[in-house]
Amino acid sequence: MKGLLRRIFHIDHIIVAAFTILIIELLVVIAVNLEFLSPVVRALESFSMTDVYYKILNKDGDTEECNTITLVDMTDLTHRQDIAKVISEIKALKPAALGVDIIFEGLIEDGDGDNLLADACLEGDSVNTVWAYKLTKYDEETRKFQNSLHSFFIVEGMENEGFVNLVDDPSKTIKRYAVTLPYKDTVAYSLPAQIARIVKHADLGGEKNHTINYKAVSFPVVKYDELSSYRELIEGHIVLLGTTQEEREMYYTPIGQKSGMEILAYTILSMTETTPIRHSSRWMIILWALIAGYITNLIDYLLTKRIENRRSTLMVFITQSEFYDKIISFFVMMLITGVSFHLYAKYNYFVDTVLALSTIVLIEEGRLLYAGLLSVLKKKTKWKWVEKSIYADDLDIT
């Protein structure tokens, strides 16, 4: 029993895992600095295990309807006087907050449409209404936006505005939404953050980016001409007015293509209702990788020794095959991924498992590197530490 415990808790398993992580980090540095590998690096950066988790949580369309946020679709509306009427009707139904995901650029030849729209937007209780605008002209040197695009009736600097900048690359998956962005000599708040401040009376703890929780919910969509029939979905609810059908307003998310307004809704829901997603630190990611490597190397070592002691030709052949290592890696991957998914789904705690899964796959390379180092040390030194290694008997072979 003492010998078994020594093998299980031997420091060599941790050292092998550490060597594997070192190999991975070197490969990452090489990939980042080699131009022809940059597409691969970008692809890996855009991947996250949260994509897989959300696919599982939203499987088979098994979602519940959100009872706090309603989307009002005005895709078919083109005249400003009609949009003005819709805004007035929504305000009359007293929503908890209204987010207008439309930017009305400049005056147009539309009869009294401009005046009617301005009156509708500024009339009544505008304290709980947030207007969309976009930050433009980003300066790489100062890392600040230098300009902005507003609706024609908005005076720059009004507190009830929120930017709706998403991403410049339409192929990039939307996982986070900015809470604040640097603008000139101040800090600008996003539309979801502004609505969260109205509803929660909070500033989200000063965070700059908010991880969107794409929980398994669907948002009720009301057509602009059916507001009176769905009063219960407007009164006391957070209402977003915009388009849900335009192709140019569609973006990639971990749960498929969604309209910009739906992404706003998920972000607002994440900020106001759900438990915030906590991200593990870099040290926790490394610890998780060490644990994964430790378990993989331990299982491989114990099974190999057990089978070798039985002296079965078939079993020895199996342990020497790549298929054997793949089976062990697969089961450890399932274990690590399962625990990570449970932490995420149950406690909203996200541990990035990319390093851990990479360690599992490349553990053999780490073991060979460690065994090679031990062989060199055995020939040139008389360290007892080398002799106490669980691989001491195999050093002459390696």
Side-chain angles (χ1 to χ4, degrees):
M1 178 61 71
K2 185 177 180 181
L4 178 61
L5 291 176
R6 175 182 173 274
R7 290 180 175 181
I8 293 175
F9 297 104
H10 204 284
I11 193 173
D12 277 6
H13 301 305
I14 287 290
I15 296 175
V16 169
F19 268 95
T20 307
I21 293 173
L22 178 61
I23 292 172
I24 294 170
E25 294 295 338
L26 289 174
L27 291 175
V28 170
V29 171
I30 294 172
V32 169
N33 287 279
L34 289 180
E35 187 175 349
F36 73 92
L37 288 176
S38 58
V40 178
V41 175
R42 287 197 298 269
L44 290 175
E45 286 177 346
S46 65
F47 172 77
S48 171
M49 283 303 295
T50 55
D51 297 1
V52 179
Y53 298 159
Y54 287 128
K55 286 289 185 183
I56 296 173
L57 293 173
N58 288 272
K59 66 178 180 179
D60 302 325
D62 186 18
T63 60
E64 60 180 59
E65 188 172 273
C66 179
N67 58 6
T68 58
I69 301 176
T70 301
L71 310 182
V72 176
D73 183 23
M74 48 146 283
T75 304
D76 299 334
L77 288 181
T78 56
H79 297 292
R80 287 186 172 181
Q81 62 264 33
D82 297 328
I83 299 173
K85 182 182 177 182
V86 171
I87 292 175
S88 295
E89 289 180 3
I90 293 175
K91 285 188 173 184
L93 294 175
K94 301 186 182 303
L98 170 61
V100 182
D101 186 25
I102 317 160
I103 301 174
F104 303 100
E105 298 181 46
L107 300 171
I108 60 175
E109 294 295 332
D110 193 22
D112 294 329
D114 292 332
N115 293 331
L116 290 172
L117 181 60
D119 291 341
C121 291
L122 301 177
E123 71 181 359
D125 184 11
S126 295
V127 176
N128 66 340
T129 303
V130 182
W131 310 103
Y133 75 101
K134 282 191 176 181
L135 298 174
T136 60
K137 196 177 179 183
Y138 183 75
D139 184 9
E140 291 287 350
E141 185 176 343
T142 61
R143 295 186 178 181
K144 294 180 180 180
F145 286 91
Q146 300 298 321
N147 213 336
S148 56
L149 178 64
H150 304 260
S151 294
F152 69 91
F153 54 84
I154 294 292
V155 178
E156 185 175 349
M158 290 178 65
E159 292 185 358
N160 56 340
E161 277 192 296
F163 65 78
V164 288
N165 296 59
L166 275 173
V167 292
D168 295 327
D169 183 0
S171 65
K172 191 172 183 179
T173 303
I174 307 297
K175 298 185 178 72
R176 293 189 173 196
Y177 207 108
V179 176
T180 61
L181 285 175
Y183 174 55
K184 293 183 179 178
D185 296 326
T186 185
V187 172
Y189 280 86
S190 66
L191 187 145
Q194 292 285 52
I195 290 180
R197 295 172 78 188
I198 291 172
V199 176
K200 293 182 65 178
H201 305 288
D203 62 358
L204 301 171
E207 61 178 324
K208 294 183 178 179
N209 290 287
H210 187 89
T211 300
I212 305 173
N213 190 343
Y214 288 100
K215 59 184 294 187
V217 298
S218 60
F219 300 98
V221 179
V222 178
K223 289 278 289 182
Y224 65 90
D225 55 354
E226 298 177 345
L227 294 174
S228 59
S229 301
Y230 294 95
R231 184 187 186 98
E232 72 281 1
L233 294 177
I234 305 296
E235 186 175 5
H237 286 60
I238 297 171
V239 177
L240 295 176
L241 174 64
T243 63
T244 61
Q245 305 298 325
E246 288 190 13
E247 186 65 29
R248 63 187 180 90
E249 290 293 328
M250 303 299 288
Y251 300 89
Y252 291 102
T253 75
I255 55 175
Q257 273 199 325
K258 296 291 179 181
S259 66
M261 195 159 68
E262 287 177 287
I263 294 173
L264 288 176
Y266 276 111
T267 306
I268 293 168
L269 186 64
S270 300
M271 291 179 176
T272 57
E273 283 195 353
T274 58
T275 304
I277 296 173
R278 294 173 296 153
H279 287 258
S280 58
S281 65
R282 176 64 179 170
W283 290 111
M284 179 57 71
I285 293 173
I286 294 174
L287 176 61
W288 203 232
L290 284 172
I291 292 172
Y294 180 95
I295 294 174
T296 307
N297 197 68
L298 172 63
I299 294 175
D300 180 86
Y301 176 78
L302 292 179
L303 288 180
T304 300
K305 287 300 179 183
R306 181 176 177 82
I307 293 172
E308 285 179 353
N309 290 336
R310 292 190 174 186
R311 297 181 180 179
S312 168
T313 304
L314 177 61
M315 290 297 100
V316 172
F317 172 76
I318 290 175
T319 57
Q320 297 301 317
S321 69
E322 293 184 3
F323 183 68
Y324 167 77
D325 290 329
K326 285 181 171 59
I327 292 177
I328 295 176
S329 298
F330 173 77
F331 280 107
V332 180
M333 282 182 175
M334 292 290 290
L335 174 64
I336 294 296
T337 304
V339 173
S340 301
F341 175 73
H342 180 76
L343 290 173
Y344 190 76
K346 188 77 174 177
Y347 302 104
N348 278 17
Y349 186 75
F350 175 64
V351 181
D352 192 337
T353 57
V354 173
L355 181 60
L357 297 180
S358 301
T359 303
I360 295 170
V361 172
L362 297 175
I363 196 70
E364 185 176 358
E365 281 66 28
R367 189 186 307 128
L368 290 173
L369 180 62
Y370 179 56
L373 177 63
L374 289 178
S375 296
V376 173
L377 292 176
K378 183 178 181 181
K379 293 176 181 178
K380 296 187 176 182
T381 67
K382 295 182 179 180
W383 287 0
K384 292 184 178 180
W385 171 63
V386 177
E387 297 176 359
K388 291 181 179 180
S389 170
I390 55 177
Y391 299 109
D393 295 337
D394 302 323
L395 292 182
D396 291 335
I397 299 176
T398 56

